[in-house]
Each structure stands twice: as C-alpha cells, then as structure tokens.
Amino acid sequence: MSSDESSGGVPGAFGDSFGVLNTLFSGLAFFGIIVSILMQSKELKETRGEIKTQGEQFKIQAEALTKQVFENTFFQLLNLHNEITLSISVRSSLSSFSSSKVELSGRAAFKSLYENKFGQHEFIYELGLNDSNLPDNTNEYYLMFHEVYGSQLGHYFRNIYQILKYVDQASIDNKKFYTNLLRAQLSSYELVLLFFNCLSDLGVEKFKPLLEKYEFFEHLPYLDYMSEEEVRAYSKAAYGSTNEELINIHEGLSQNV
C-alpha cells in the first residue's frame, strides 16, 4: 500500500467514527427529548389530577356552605312560623249552649276558627248578614270568611307560602325533607284551613301548586265541612302515597259522609 493511500485512510476512518458518534449523540438527544416529553406528560396528568381533586373538594365545600346558609334561613323561618301560630287568637264560646266567650290562642284558636267560625259559618253573622247570604261556592264562601279573619290568618298563610317557595327555589337536594319538617308543625285544623285558603282566589294560582308538588296533605284527615268535590279540586299528588282516605275519595271510591 502506497504512502498516499495510507495517509488518506486515517481521516476517512476518523470521519466514519465521527459520523457514528453524531448518530449516537443524535439518538441519545432524541431519546432524551422523548423521556422529557413523557415526564412532562406525567407531571401534567398529575397536575390535572390535583386540580380535579381540588375542584371536587371545592365543590363539596361550596355545597356544604350553601346547605348551611339555606338551613340557617329555613329554621329561622320555621321559628317565625311558630311565633305567628302562637300569636293568633280568637274569641269563642265555650260550647254551643253557652253565651260566655273565652280567648283562645295558638292551635286551639285554629280549631275554633275552623269548626265554629268557618264550618258553622259564624263569620256570616259577624259581617252583619244571615244564612240567606251564604254563597254556594267554595271560593266566595272562603273569601267572605277571610274578610273577617284575614287580619289573623293572612300573615300566617303568607309565611307558609314564602317558606315553601324558598325551599322550592333553593339549590339543595331532598327538598321534600324540609317541606315535611314544615308540614309537621301544622295541626289538622291548620292544614284544613290551608286546604280551603288555596282553593280560593287567594292561593289557587301560586300556592296550590306547591302544596301539590310537596304532597302537603299527606296526613290531612277527611274532616267535617270538607266535600269530596273539594278534595278532587286538588291533584291526587297533594295527598302523597299514604293518605288512603283522601286518595280513595279523589278516585271516587267512597261516598259522602
């Protein structure tokens, strides 16, 4: 081999080695980029997971705060309802055979308001009228009763309506749980006066649908002075699933008593 060939072979071999090294370094750099991308992808995934977890925790905290604010207001309204109930009073005879009157308040007043003032239409005499002036439909009858006792009952019914409306519009779960708590505060005589109030022009448009939606008469008995026609004026939903007496009446399965 000549000296020219010998001297020319060294640079060529070096060049080949350098090319191999370049290829190796390029491969390592590319591999490093891939590893970096994978690591960044993992970190991004973990960050997204942390953000999601934090978001869920924030949502839980926000829901808990919303519920707390709602319940504080709800129970304040419930306390106000009980105060209004206790403040209602009416003068009533001790019996149908007695002319002496006593002052009844709270739930005892509601019993007298329904049985005597409404049922036996004593309100008609307080208007200076007589039995011949009694209207023959539920709406007019109740409106005349309300003309005498609206100053007592108007505030009471408006507060119940506001509580139901507040629950209905709230961003909470299990709304019926809260409406059941409200309903549990009412006696049968309070419920039946509410029943007639919302058959009248005073409550039929906005109040009555809420009573039906939340099955408010699920525990209302079929009392004197109620009629089957009036029971059927509400949707069957108003009586829930357990008030068999009023459900049967609504379905036409009973006779007048």
Side-chain angles (χ1 to χ4, degrees):
M1 180 172 63
S2 67
S3 60
D4 292 339
E5 291 174 343
S6 176
S7 61
V10 174
F14 179 77
D16 291 342
S17 299
F18 186 74
V20 170
L21 288 174
N22 276 342
T23 301
L24 178 61
F25 287 137
S26 296
L28 289 173
F30 180 73
F31 178 74
I33 292 171
I34 296 298
V35 171
S36 177
I37 290 172
L38 291 174
M39 291 180 65
Q40 289 176 0
S41 177
K42 182 181 178 182
E43 290 175 357
L44 181 61
K45 185 176 181 181
E46 290 175 350
T47 301
R48 285 175 175 170
E50 291 175 359
I51 292 173
K52 183 179 179 181
T53 301
Q54 291 173 355
E56 290 172 350
Q57 291 175 346
F58 177 77
K59 182 180 179 182
I60 292 171
Q61 292 172 354
E63 288 175 350
L65 181 60
T66 297
K67 183 178 180 182
Q68 181 181 356
V69 171
F70 165 81
E71 289 190 343
N72 286 341
T73 303
F74 174 79
F75 287 111
Q76 286 177 9
L77 289 170
L78 212 57
N79 287 334
L80 177 59
H81 165 78
N82 288 321
E83 290 175 7
I84 294 172
T85 301
L86 293 174
S87 70
I88 291 176
S89 63
V90 62
R91 290 187 62 78
S92 181
S93 300
L94 290 170
S95 71
S96 57
F97 306 104
S98 173
S99 59
S100 60
K101 295 183 179 294
V102 294
E103 193 77 21
L104 300 174
S105 61
R107 290 182 170 83
F110 280 93
K111 184 174 187 289
S112 178
L113 280 167
Y114 180 69
E115 290 187 339
N116 305 120
K117 309 301 183 182
F118 180 84
Q120 296 178 21
H121 50 256
E122 290 182 6
F123 70 89
I124 202 76
Y125 312 125
E126 297 182 43
L127 286 171
L129 305 174
N130 55 51
D131 290 349
S132 65
N133 301 115
L134 282 172
D136 58 2
N137 69 78
T138 302
N139 180 53
E140 291 182 13
Y141 187 93
Y142 184 83
L143 290 178
M144 289 182 72
F145 169 77
H146 187 81
E147 187 176 341
V148 179
Y149 293 102
S151 60
Q152 291 272 45
L153 295 173
H155 187 197
Y156 173 85
F157 289 131
R158 284 192 297 272
N159 192 62
I160 294 177
Y161 171 71
Q162 290 302 327
I163 296 174
L164 283 175
K165 183 180 176 183
Y166 177 68
V167 174
D168 188 59
Q169 295 180 346
S171 300
I172 55 163
D173 297 324
N174 197 13
K175 294 181 181 181
K176 195 169 184 301
F177 169 76
Y178 297 99
T179 61
N180 285 351
L181 288 179
L182 170 61
R183 186 187 64 198
Q185 310 301 309
L186 277 61
S187 66
S188 294
Y189 295 104
E190 291 171 81
L191 282 172
V192 74
L193 283 170
L194 178 62
F195 174 93
F196 282 105
N197 179 81
C198 292
L199 287 180
S200 76
D201 290 343
L202 297 173
V204 69
E205 183 179 351
K206 296 181 180 180
F207 203 164
K208 181 172 174 282
L210 290 174
L211 300 177
E212 293 168 334
K213 181 177 181 178
Y214 293 107
E215 304 176 354
F216 219 71
F217 298 128
E218 191 169 15
H219 301 297
L220 173 66
Y222 187 47
L223 297 173
D224 291 339
Y225 314 120
M226 294 171 66
S227 73
E228 294 188 3
E229 181 182 1
E230 288 158 348
V231 170
R232 286 189 282 269
Y234 280 89
S235 73
K236 190 168 70 171
Y239 308 111
S241 59
T242 61
N243 194 334
E244 294 183 5
E245 183 179 27
L246 296 190
I247 290 172
N248 286 338
I249 291 173
H250 196 281
E251 294 177 344
L253 301 179
S254 71
Q255 300 296 319
N256 283 315
V257 294

